[in-house]
Amino acid sequence: MLKRVLAPVLLMLLVVGAPACSGEPEPTATPVPTPTPTPTATPEPTATPTPDPVPEGFVPFVSQELGISLYYPAEWSITPTGGEGAWLVVQDGEGISRMLLLSRQASAGSLSEQIEAAIPSLTPEEGNPRVERTGAVTLDDGTTAERADILYEVEGGTDVRRMQVMQRGELLYLLVVIAPLAEVERQEETIDTMLASFRSFPPEPYGVPRESAFTMPLGEPTTLDPAIARETTSHFFVTSLFSGLVRISSDFSIGPDLAEDFRVDVTGLVYTFTLRDDITFHDGTPITAEDFKYSIERAADAALHSETAPTYLGDIVGVTEKLNGEAEEVSGVQVVDERTIRVTIDEPKGYFLAKLTYPSAAIVDRRTVEPLGFDWWMSDDINGSGPYRLARWEREEVVVLQRFNGYHSPAALEYVVSPLAALPGVGGLAMYLSDAWDAIPVGTGSLGFVRESESLSSQLSEFDQLITIYLGVDGAQPPFDDPDVRRAFLMALDRERLIEVVYDGNVELAKGLLPPGMPGYSESLRGIPYDPEEARRLLAESEYADDFPEVVFSAVDVDGEPTEMVQFVVAAWQEELGVDVQVELHESDVFYYSLENVVGNVWHSGWVADYPDPENFLDLLLHTQPLDGRFVNDQFDTLIEGARAEWDREIRLSMYGEAEQLLIDEAGLFPLFHFKDYVLLRPRVQGFQMNPLGQPDVAGITLNPIE
């Protein structure tokens, strides 16, 4: 499937003087649908402990999302997730005094040592600053804190920065009151009440019980329609909400899902599936063989314009005719009885079952879909068929999944919560350290920071992925229809330096398209080396040397700019080849869902395996009617077509190997790198896995109590 590549949460440690970690430079924009669905409500939030009684003249502030509470004067204002890199900004009515709540990762030292370490980052450089340590204090809830005053001269007098530091778990909270000394002395009791009232408790974001919810920023789906979804973020949510006949596991084995068993006849053409007894949609309506037939025929409906149905369902007899509007039904799908389905394909293909694990073959409820039309998945109740139901979706804020207990194999985990961003002023790492989030993806740019941290390094997990990041080129149009031009552009790109500069050396150079771990991957594949001198010679001898056509690089728009990787590539080509490259930016939903409308002759992309077969890369991406490439080569097509029908595994893999070497020799695309997924996991999370498809396998997660 298309990989909306490298979009982990940025690990921001938002506090003056604290280190910040950068996330991936690849496309980070997450497309969002409109209008926003507001599905069934999540459970009522449980009560949050708050000091009682409230002092006269004060009002309470409580944040379940952050797990904090305090009192502040009624005449003051409070801005949750305010500016200045703070969680909160509390300010008096005249704008003279204010209090900031900051955070940083706690160290192994005592509170006294930690406030000592924090003081320099909050001490102004000018004004002859001096520090007065108050020492340890006891807060209203019995927690121990440390306080200190930083005094410094300003025009007309002296200002104070009064610090209070307390710790819960791995997070250090810093309350900083900033005011003139005269105001601090006048409001001493008020300030002390605010500071002493602060308390921290296990967060409960979005009203979902933390003891039964796994919280991780997983992105926001572009669509929840199984027939439309074609990128990894949507894929995760769709496969959580909908099921098909078979499902692929974390170890890449194919097994029954809504079908209890299946058999293949001696010709290898006819598959017969028997549905499980008593399977239902989320509203309890029985799922039958007719529902599967409807779902396949809907996905193949010409009016839907599904970009995935031809690829993943096109082997079924009659799908092509249905896609072309030449048939009313898919003749290769027959309902034998309520629980039995017979599927006939056009020729024997050992990977056909794997294709049926793709969302295109998931079962949807006709009663939900037909009355609402194309946008049915935005409704209040999509009535899925999978292990989770959609409990809540608030645009650009959160997606909440809740376990469907009627599923044939109910998940161990009750809730999956996907916050769509860290709270402004807080940052992903602080959300993680405060126990608001259970896991965060770690970008390659953040790995050094995490690995150097004694506490975080022990919580870092890495997972192999079947992913290749590459540049696609239009080999059917000038100038890239000339193989020498393609070779020249690839030779002019120092990919090893790209990996060091943009990714801190944390990804693996790709010589070919197939990733390590994929059957057919070969260490002996001959790649094209970095050789700018040879690149210039090839370009000078190409048919376009005297009149070079325009080169347009289509890229995802990230806040009005191309990614750092795209900028590196464009600069290299302009420097080494003297070619002017125009960058054309596209919104991510257009780029990933309407690639045929992307008019550039070179583009960046990534592909993550849908199933463990080289056909999923070499055939789907690059054959005569490619999904994400325009490599025109008759010999390549002949090899791919021969491999489709070859049942001998070794012969098949050899044919794919020959095809891949031809692809690289001809520079049919420009392979860049392969990478792993890195995730920080809170100690309470057990059984978390990222499958080789780049998706978390959440159903088997169990959670220990939050300490």
Side-chain angles (χ1 to χ4, degrees):
M1 77 199 78
L2 282 178
K3 175 73 173 176
R4 196 151 57 202
V5 287
L6 306 190
V9 171
L10 303 184
L11 300 183
M12 297 302 295
L13 201 56
L14 293 175
V15 60
V16 179
C21 307
S22 62
E24 291 290 359
E26 280 291 319
T28 54
T30 303
V32 292
T34 55
T36 304
T38 53
T40 52
T42 49
E44 290 296 319
T46 57
T48 301
T50 308
D52 188 52
V54 179
E56 185 176 354
F58 285 77
V59 293
F61 170 81
V62 181
S63 171
Q64 289 183 314
E65 285 76 16
L66 298 174
I68 57 172
S69 68
L70 56 80
Y71 296 142
Y72 66 98
E75 65 272 16
W76 287 38
S77 64
I78 189 166
T79 306
T81 61
E84 304 183 53
W87 291 29
L88 301 174
V89 177
V90 189
Q91 187 162 297
D92 69 10
E94 299 177 357
I96 298 174
S97 305
R98 69 188 189 278
M99 181 175 73
L100 310 180
L101 171 60
L102 308 169
S103 71
R104 68 188 303 168
Q105 185 184 359
S107 68
S110 66
L111 275 181
S112 177
E113 293 170 330
Q114 294 194 73
I115 196 171
E116 192 69 32
I119 285 172
S121 66
L122 294 167
T123 301
E125 295 182 0
E126 299 179 351
N128 299 315
R130 63 188 187 276
V131 177
E132 295 181 0
R133 292 286 301 271
T134 305
V137 296
T138 302
L139 306 185
D140 291 346
D141 66 351
T143 301
T144 298
E146 282 275 338
R147 287 184 188 166
D149 285 350
I150 303 171
L151 297 92
Y152 52 100
E153 304 305 318
V154 295
E155 185 177 349
T158 302
D159 277 5
V160 179
R161 294 183 179 180
R162 176 162 294 177
M163 300 173 56
Q164 174 177 290
V165 172
M166 60 88 67
Q167 181 177 350
R168 187 179 71 81
E170 298 176 54
L171 195 64
L172 196 69
Y173 297 90
L174 296 88
L175 283 165
V176 184
V177 177
I178 305 173
L181 177 59
E183 281 296 305
V184 172
E185 292 173 342
R186 185 179 70 84
Q187 301 189 80
E188 189 79 42
E189 186 175 343
T190 296
I191 293 172
D192 184 70
T193 299
M194 284 196 295
L195 292 174
S197 70
F198 180 78
R199 64 167 50 189
S200 171
F201 51 86
E204 195 168 274
Y206 314 109
V208 180
R210 286 290 288 129
E211 66 271 13
S212 54
F214 171 74
T215 303
M216 178 181 182
L218 298 166
E220 185 167 38
T222 302
T223 179
L224 293 178
D225 188 338
I228 301 296
R230 62 171 297 192
E231 36 71 42
T232 51
T233 302
S234 295
H235 195 283
F236 166 75
F237 288 101
V238 168
T239 54
S240 296
L241 298 167
F242 298 92
S243 285
L245 298 177
V246 288
R247 183 175 286 264
I248 194 165
S249 65
S250 293
D251 64 1
F252 262 155
S253 61
I254 310 297
D257 191 354
L258 296 182
E260 66 179 11
D261 62 44
F262 53 84
R263 61 185 182 276
V264 187
D265 76 350
V266 293
T267 68
L269 298 175
V270 181
Y271 292 71
T272 302
F273 300 86
T274 302
L275 294 180
R276 296 179 189 270
D277 195 17
D278 297 329
I279 53 174
T280 70
F281 291 106
H282 293 167
D283 69 351
T285 302
I287 294 173
T288 69
E290 287 287 355
D291 294 309
F292 176 76
K293 182 175 175 64
Y294 165 75
S295 300
I296 296 297
E297 291 180 343
R298 174 186 173 273
D301 194 317
L304 190 61
H305 301 292
S306 169
E307 296 182 5
T308 59
T311 300
Y312 296 96
L313 303 178
D315 302 322
I316 300 174
V317 172
V319 163
T320 299
E321 290 77 7
K322 187 79 165 70
L323 286 165
N324 293 337
E326 300 168 357
E328 292 296 319
E329 65 174 345
V330 174
S331 58
V333 177
Q334 296 177 295
V335 174
V336 179
D337 57 43
E338 279 198 349
R339 292 183 55 206
T340 309
I341 304 150
R342 185 174 296 131
V343 178
T344 304
I345 60 176
D346 52 8
E347 57 182 333
K349 293 170 182 174
Y351 48 81
F352 172 67
L353 275 179
K355 281 190 171 184
L356 282 187
T357 66
Y358 201 79
S360 304
I363 296 178
V364 299
D365 179 20
R366 183 175 197 159
R367 298 163 306 129
T368 301
V369 174
E370 291 200 341
L372 299 175
F374 184 80
D375 293 332
W376 66 275
W377 57 273
M378 296 182 182
S379 66
D380 289 347
D381 186 4
I382 60 175
N383 199 28
S385 54
Y388 284 90
R389 67 177 187 86
L390 186 62
R392 178 179 177 184
W393 184 5
E394 295 187 17
R395 180 182 175 183
E396 298 182 353
E397 182 180 347
V398 67
V399 181
V400 180
L401 307 180
Q402 183 177 13
R403 179 177 61 209
F404 173 48
N405 291 322
Y407 187 62
H408 60 81
S409 303
L413 182 67
E414 185 170 2
Y415 291 101
V416 179
V417 179
S418 175
L420 301 179
L423 297 176
V426 179
L429 184 57
M431 299 293 287
Y432 175 79
L433 293 174
S434 71
D435 282 319
W437 294 357
D438 293 301
I440 47 176
V442 180
T444 56
S446 301
L447 281 174
F449 167 77
V450 172
R451 285 169 171 161
E452 290 170 5
S453 167
E454 183 176 348
S455 61
L456 292 179
S457 60
S458 64
Q459 299 173 34
L460 181 67
S461 295
E462 63 179 62
F463 302 94
D464 292 326
Q465 300 294 289
L466 297 181
I467 295 172
T468 302
I469 308 302
Y470 59 90
L471 302 180
V473 291
D474 189 350
Q477 303 294 331
F480 294 113
D481 57 341
D482 183 342
D484 281 343
V485 171
R486 297 197 300 266
R487 294 187 190 101
F489 271 69
L490 183 51
M491 284 182 173
L493 179 59
D494 188 345
R495 290 172 290 165
E496 292 185 352
R497 183 165 176 267
L498 167 71
I499 288 170
E500 287 299 324
V501 171
V502 179
Y503 301 102
D504 293 337
N506 289 312
V507 295
E508 179 182 345
L509 177 68
K511 293 190 296 182
L513 180 60
L514 297 182
M518 171 64 72
Y521 171 79
S522 174
E523 289 281 358
S524 62
L525 185 77
R526 300 184 308 276
I528 291 182
Y530 171 59
D531 189 342
E533 184 176 344
E534 176 66 9
R536 288 188 286 271
R537 185 192 69 78
L538 288 172
L539 206 61
E541 295 180 0
S542 75
E543 61 178 293
Y544 300 112
D546 296 328
D547 186 17
F548 204 79
E550 183 180 40
V551 176
V552 179
F553 196 133
S554 292
V556 168
D557 185 334
V558 182
D559 297 326
E561 296 286 341
T563 66
E564 187 179 353
M565 182 268 282
V566 172
Q567 294 180 52
F568 181 99
V569 171
V570 170
W573 286 342
Q574 291 176 337
E575 178 181 347
E576 299 290 1
L577 299 177
V579 174
D580 184 34
V581 179
Q582 302 298 319
V583 178
E584 182 181 77
L585 298 179
H586 300 267
E587 294 296 326
S588 55
D589 55 348
V590 174
F591 188 85
Y592 290 110
Y593 276 80
S594 301
L595 192 60
E596 70 278 3
N597 297 324
V598 175
V599 297
N601 44 22
V602 59
W603 57 92
H604 65 86
S605 193
W607 191 257
V608 54
D610 302 304
Y611 43 87
D613 195 290
E615 178 270 348
N616 187 231
F617 279 74
L618 293 164
D619 193 339
L620 292 193
L621 286 175
L622 296 164
H623 188 251
T624 303
Q625 295 180 323
L627 189 61
D628 191 33
R630 298 171 188 139
F631 179 49
V632 181
N633 186 287
D634 291 341
Q635 184 182 354
F636 178 88
D637 286 348
T638 298
L639 285 166
I640 293 299
E641 290 161 7
R644 289 176 182 172
E646 178 57 59
W647 279 91
D648 186 288
R649 174 182 170 82
E650 295 305 317
I651 295 176
R652 279 187 76 240
L653 294 183
S654 175
M655 295 172 76
Y656 283 127
E658 187 178 347
E660 185 182 24
Q661 187 63 70
L662 178 62
L663 169 71
I664 299 308
D665 290 344
E666 294 279 312
L669 53 68
F670 304 166
L672 297 179
F673 56 84
H674 315 291
F675 65 88
K676 297 182 179 182
D677 276 345
Y678 297 90
V679 179
L680 277 174
L681 290 168
R682 299 299 294 166
R684 82 178 189 121
V685 179
Q686 305 295 314
F688 178 92
Q689 291 291 327
M690 288 285 288
N691 65 33
L693 306 181
Q695 300 171 13
D697 188 0
V698 297
I701 290 175
T702 57
L703 301 172
N704 294 330
I706 298 177
E707 297 180 359

